Amino acid sequence: MPVLDGLQATKIIRENEQEFGFSRKPIIGLTAHAIQGYKDKCLEAGMDAYACKPFQAKQLIEVIQGVMQPL
């Protein structure tokens, strides 16, 4: 992203949800970073799930379904 990366954007979204009483929106990190520990960084930033590129459509659907289950 040109101005913010996904971690920064997620933190801002979560802060705004808290500050203004917005309902929590599902956020899935889609990244090419396959380094160990990056998934943890995404989840710590407030993302609900993570998928590493390249991925198959079936894998992405499973991640989306996993995030949507609690709703």
Side-chain angles (χ1 to χ4, degrees), residues 24-55:
R24 185 177 173 95
K25 308 297 184 276
I27 299 175
I28 301 171
L30 302 176
T31 181
H33 291 289
I35 57 175
Q36 190 172 21
Y38 198 77
K39 179 180 180 179
D40 293 333
K41 284 185 179 184
C42 290
L43 298 176
E44 287 172 11
M47 293 182 189
D48 298 293
Y50 165 92
C52 186
K53 299 180 220 175
F55 48 81

Side-chain angles (χ1 to χ4, degrees), residues 5-68:
D5 66 23
L7 299 173
Q8 295 166 321
T10 298
K11 288 179 183 178
I12 291 170
I13 291 168
R14 295 299 183 223
E15 288 170 0
N16 284 331
E17 288 171 344
Q18 288 278 321
E19 183 177 348
F20 299 108
F22 298 143
S23 62
R24 185 177 173 95
K25 308 297 184 276
I27 299 175
I28 301 171
L30 302 176
T31 181
H33 291 289
I35 57 175
Q36 190 172 21
Y38 198 77
K39 179 180 180 179
D40 293 333
K41 284 185 179 184
C42 290
L43 298 176
E44 287 172 11
M47 293 182 189
D48 298 293
Y50 165 92
C52 186
K53 299 180 220 175
F55 48 81
Q56 300 294 319
K58 180 182 177 187
Q59 293 168 309
L60 181 58
I61 289 168
E62 290 172 356
V63 172
I64 293 170
Q65 288 174 334
V67 169
M68 299 306 290

